[in-house]
Amino acid sequence: MKRKQIFVTGISTEVGKTVAAAIITEALEADYWKPIQAGELNDSDSHKIKGYISNLKTIIHKNCYALQTPMSPHAAAEIDNITIELDKIVAPKTDNHLVVEGAGGLLVPLNDTATILDIIKPEYKVIVVSRHYLGSINHSLLTINYLQERDYDVSVIFSGEEHTTTESIILKKTGVKCIGRIDEEPFFNTYVIKKYADLFRSNLEII
């Protein structure tokens, strides 16, 4: 199988991006990389991924920026008295598949000029995590259309309580492939992550 590089973004914060990234990582036994972590450095998304996966192949790569405050990266960096520089965000070298997790949504600022979008390489497959809430259709369509206008290969994962009318209109209006949906589980652990990894694997292998 050709080496895949998958960027996971969300339509907003707290939509289930890290759980989705864990499922993708487990399904492909991929490496994982979170370029920018803002806040929760002792319980970061990289820590969560390590606790979620059960395969022995995945390597979790170091953040390029680990910021102290749980805020937008540009603001957290300012508090740490640094400026995020794009040329210092360098993808790890690996012969394995690579899952890259963003911070928040596409246009979250990194500094005065760059956003998360600027670290998504043209060759990356992009998976958008969409969760139903009032306004989520608009946020989903804006995110997906923005990526499609820039010629990215885009798929979607739905997260949380199922809302068929929301999900169906997003798929109809964008034409993107749905990798699957993650239900509102009581908790996530290695068993639950592996269950979804097994369900999603075939769809992930063909993107």
Side-chain angles (χ1 to χ4, degrees):
M1 187 193 311
K2 183 180 178 182
R3 186 170 76 96
K4 296 182 185 296
Q5 299 177 91
I6 298 173
F7 194 97
V8 182
T9 190
I11 62 168
S12 185
T13 58
E14 305 300 323
V15 295
K17 195 164 70 273
T18 301
V19 167
I23 291 166
I24 299 164
T25 299
E26 181 68 16
L28 298 175
E29 297 188 337
D31 285 4
Y32 170 87
W33 177 47
K34 173 106 175 181
I36 303 166
Q37 175 72 38
E40 298 185 321
L41 298 186
N42 293 322
D43 186 28
S44 69
D45 291 338
S46 296
H47 287 95
K48 292 182 174 74
I49 295 291
K50 185 177 181 180
Y52 282 148
I53 62 172
S54 53
N55 81 82
L56 301 177
K57 187 175 180 181
T58 293
I59 295 172
I60 298 172
H61 296 277
K62 185 179 178 181
N63 312 122
C64 294
Y65 287 93
L67 308 169
Q68 298 294 325
T69 310
M71 297 175 67
S72 174
H74 80 293
E78 185 175 346
I79 291 170
D80 287 357
N81 200 31
I82 62 173
T83 299
I84 294 174
E85 300 175 37
L86 288 183
D87 61 0
K88 292 184 178 178
I89 301 176
V90 179
K93 293 181 179 179
T94 177
D95 293 326
N96 194 11
H97 305 302
L98 181 64
V99 174
V100 186
E101 183 181 350
L106 281 185
L107 298 184
V108 167
L110 304 180
N111 53 41
D112 288 344
T113 56
T115 70
I116 289 292
L117 182 67
D118 293 295
I119 65 173
I120 306 178
K121 295 182 180 181
E123 64 268 26
Y124 285 174
K125 308 287 186 179
V126 183
I127 295 180
V128 174
V129 181
S130 176
R131 185 181 185 93
H132 174 74
Y133 54 80
L134 187 62
S136 65
I137 294 174
N138 182 53
H139 292 164
S140 298
L141 295 181
L142 285 170
T143 298
I144 294 168
N145 289 339
Y146 205 78
L147 287 163
Q148 289 177 324
E149 286 171 1
R150 286 154 181 78
D151 294 324
Y152 286 103
D153 186 332
V154 187
S155 304
V156 66
I157 288 176
F158 292 109
S159 170
E161 186 177 346
E162 185 174 14
H163 201 283
T164 54
T165 57
T166 294
E167 295 172 16
S168 64
I169 197 67
I170 290 168
L171 295 176
K172 285 176 184 176
K173 283 189 168 292
T174 62
V176 296
K177 178 180 181 61
C178 178
I179 300 299
R181 70 172 337 280
I182 305 165
D183 293 326
E184 195 70 53
E185 300 285 353
F187 58 86
F188 287 94
N189 58 16
T190 55
Y191 173 81
V192 178
I193 294 296
K194 189 174 189 313
K195 177 186 75 171
Y196 281 103
D198 292 341
L199 287 172
F200 289 9
R201 184 172 295 109
S202 59
N203 281 337
L204 289 166
E205 287 175 346
I206 61 175
I207 63 171

